[in-house]
């Protein structure tokens, strides 16, 4: 098949309300030579009618695919199997993007001969609030959002990397693997990517066993880290995603046997990975506030860290 410049992969599930706005922003891109691969992941609503309509109006630009429901990862992976682009972008079907996003991201990635490009993001809430996320000011790309959507990836960097099917943290897994393989990143300090923030997002399920998927993901990432001499980065992932946000999220939920067990599993994993917490370089480079919460969670005192977080103590 003919190579092209860019493939945009859009997984679709139960988003009929937002899909047209998403696709409008994609068919209107100012970039040349691209395709939009729209993967209907067994959506039970009217999404397919909307996809058919766009495919009829934009033949050759929209590449429609239908599969039985298997989740975000499986839909994106399927899209990658047919993508012809030298570069790959991912857009979620309840989001939309600036019409110049991919033209400008491509310019930057090619000018700097980079493997990945980042842009900033904006969250749009139902009440009209808009929150700007500056994710292009970083010393280490692991420390800003791991979303796959505000990025553009060189296909040759992706290689055979896939999103892990059936796991939470699929973006963290996919993006971090690629960040272990390259440090050539172009950034554009513009909020090209726009998210609809809806109540009841997937990651809000507090006491779910799926919280432990982070352990599976980090264990898997460790193999890639070792391959590319990035073992030190695993410490940061354990600190940030397990000791801090993972335990905090579960601890914020209702008391239950499940909750206690989940926290214990996460704490013991963190203790195994970081047997001497206060001697860890990653730990030492954290802010005081984050260190305090991590220290408490590490020692099984997550109720104290919850208290501190709730009272938003002004700690210097």
């Amino acid at each position: 098949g003919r190579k092209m410049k860019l493939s945009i992969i859009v997984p679709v599930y139960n988003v009929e309300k937002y899909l047209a706005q998403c696709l409008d922003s994609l068919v209107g891109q100012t970039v040349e030579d691209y395709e939009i691969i729209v993967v209907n992941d067994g959506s039970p609503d009217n999404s397919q009618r909307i996809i058919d309509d766009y495919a009829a109006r934009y033949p050759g630009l929209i590449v429609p695919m239908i599969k039985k429901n298997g989740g975000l990862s499986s839909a994106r992976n399927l899209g990658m199997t047919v993508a012809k682009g030298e570069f790959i972008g991912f857009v979620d079907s309840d989001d939309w993007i600036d019409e110049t996003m991919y033209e400008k991201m491509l310019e930057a990635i090619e000018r700097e001969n980079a493997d990945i490009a980042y842009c900033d993001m904006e969250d749009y809430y139902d009440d009209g609030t808009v929150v700007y996320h500056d994710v292009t000011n970083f010393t280490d790309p692991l420390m800003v959002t791991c979303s796959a959507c505000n990025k553009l990836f060189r296909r040759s960097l992706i290689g055979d990397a896939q999103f892990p099917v059936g796991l939470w943290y699929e973006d963290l897994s996919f993006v971090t693997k690629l960040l272990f393989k390259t440090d050539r990143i172009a950034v554009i300090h513009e909020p090209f990517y726009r998210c609809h923030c809806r109540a009841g997002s997937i990651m809000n399920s507090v006491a779910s066993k799926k919280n432990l998927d982070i352990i599976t993901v980090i264990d898997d990432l460790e193999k890639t880290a070792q391959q590319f001499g990035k073992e030190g980065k695993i410490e940061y992932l354990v600190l940030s995603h397990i000791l801090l946000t993972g335990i905090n999220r579960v601890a914020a939920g209702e008391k239950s046997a499940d909750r206690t067990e989940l926290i214990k599993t996460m704490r013991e994993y963190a203790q195994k990975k970081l047997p001497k917490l206060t001697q860890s370089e990653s730990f030492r480079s954290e802010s005081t506030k984050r260190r305090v919460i991590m220290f408490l969670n590490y020692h099984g005192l997550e109720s104290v860290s919850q208290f501190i977080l709730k009272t938003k103590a002004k700690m210097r």
Side-chain angles (χ1 to χ4, degrees):
R2 190 180 80 73
K3 283 266 179 285
M4 57 170 62
K5 190 54 88 183
L6 166 71
S7 299
I8 306 168
I9 297 172
V10 187
V12 171
Y13 185 78
N14 253 6
V15 284
E16 57 183 4
K17 191 176 149 194
Y18 302 109
L19 185 54
Q21 182 184 16
C22 175
L23 294 177
D24 283 341
S25 76
L26 298 183
V27 297
Q29 287 295 298
T30 53
V31 69
E32 300 285 315
D33 195 28
Y34 73 110
E35 62 180 353
I36 303 158
I37 301 168
V38 184
V39 185
N40 180 347
D41 186 36
S43 192
D45 64 359
N46 279 313
S47 293
Q48 189 57 42
R49 269 193 220 166
I50 300 170
I51 296 168
D52 289 341
D53 171 50
Y54 277 80
R57 278 158 55 200
Y58 301 95
L61 180 59
I62 300 258
V63 180
M65 304 183 77
I66 302 180
K67 61 189 281 298
K68 70 174 206 289
N69 181 253
L72 184 67
S73 290
S74 68
R76 285 173 174 171
N77 291 342
L78 180 65
M80 282 197 283
T81 64
V82 302
K84 300 192 190 96
E86 187 191 341
F87 296 92
I88 308 269
F90 299 95
V91 173
D92 287 341
S93 46
D94 48 354
D95 301 333
W96 75 105
I97 63 176
D98 186 281
E99 63 180 8
T100 65
M101 171 163 161
Y102 284 116
E103 184 189 1
K104 291 186 174 158
M105 297 273 274
L106 270 170
E107 272 172 14
I109 208 170
E110 296 199 297
R111 183 177 62 239
E112 300 181 32
N113 193 24
D115 291 314
I116 306 178
Y118 280 54
C119 69
D120 292 334
M121 310 172 85
E122 279 176 335
D123 284 343
Y124 287 72
Y125 289 86
D126 289 341
D127 65 3
T129 314
V130 181
V131 179
Y132 188 110
H133 294 282
D134 173 0
V135 296
T136 49
N137 279 326
F138 54 76
T139 44
D140 184 333
L142 282 187
M143 295 184 183
V144 294
T145 178
C146 60
S147 165
C149 291
N150 70 316
K151 300 174 178 66
L152 181 61
F153 303 95
R154 192 179 288 275
R155 180 63 188 255
S156 57
L157 175 78
I158 294 176
D160 56 6
Q162 291 201 314
F163 290 88
V165 175
L167 296 179
W168 276 5
Y169 304 98
E170 60 270 280
D171 284 30
L172 179 73
S173 168
F174 181 80
V175 171
T176 306
K177 252 177 213 179
L178 303 183
L179 290 174
F180 286 162
K181 290 164 77 171
T182 186
D183 45 18
R184 299 207 312 243
I185 299 170
V187 298
I188 303 187
H189 186 45
E190 298 271 354
F192 292 144
Y193 195 89
R194 290 144 195 176
C195 309
H196 276 123
C197 284
R198 299 185 283 164
S201 123
I202 177 170
M203 295 293 269
N204 293 342
S205 326
V206 233
S208 164
K209 291 260 196 301
K210 299 290 288 168
N211 282 282
L212 297 183
D213 286 355
I214 186 65
I215 291 176
T216 312
V217 163
I218 289 179
D219 279 342
D220 175 58
L221 282 172
E222 199 158 12
K223 299 183 201 113
T224 312
Q226 284 157 354
Q227 231 179 306
F228 293 95
K230 298 277 173 81
E231 296 90 336
K233 302 285 187 193
I234 296 296
E235 279 197 1
Y236 170 76
L237 293 175
V238 173
L239 287 169
S240 188
H241 294 282
I242 293 181
L243 208 47
L244 197 68
T245 54
I247 289 178
N248 284 353
R249 183 169 57 247
V250 176
E254 298 296 307
K255 284 192 168 57
S256 69
D258 270 357
R259 186 185 81 154
T260 309
E261 193 52 41
L262 281 176
I263 293 174
K264 180 171 179 277
T265 306
M266 287 199 222
R267 180 176 68 242
E268 287 172 354
Y269 181 79
Q271 290 168 342
K272 183 182 86 183
K273 289 291 187 202
L274 297 150
K276 296 200 166 88
L277 178 68
T278 51
Q279 287 173 30
S280 149
E281 264 181 50
S282 290
F283 177 76
R284 288 173 165 186
S285 64
E286 291 283 354
S287 71
T288 306
K289 181 161 187 185
R290 282 169 59 98
R291 276 205 312 265
V292 169
I293 304 295
M294 287 172 181
F295 184 87
L296 291 166
N297 290 352
Y298 184 92
H299 292 288
L301 299 166
E302 62 282 339
S303 56
V304 182
S305 58
Q306 285 303 298
F307 176 76
I308 292 173
L309 292 167
K310 282 200 183 79
T311 52
K312 294 243 186 336
K314 299 278 179 276
M315 297 189 314
R316 287 286 173 268

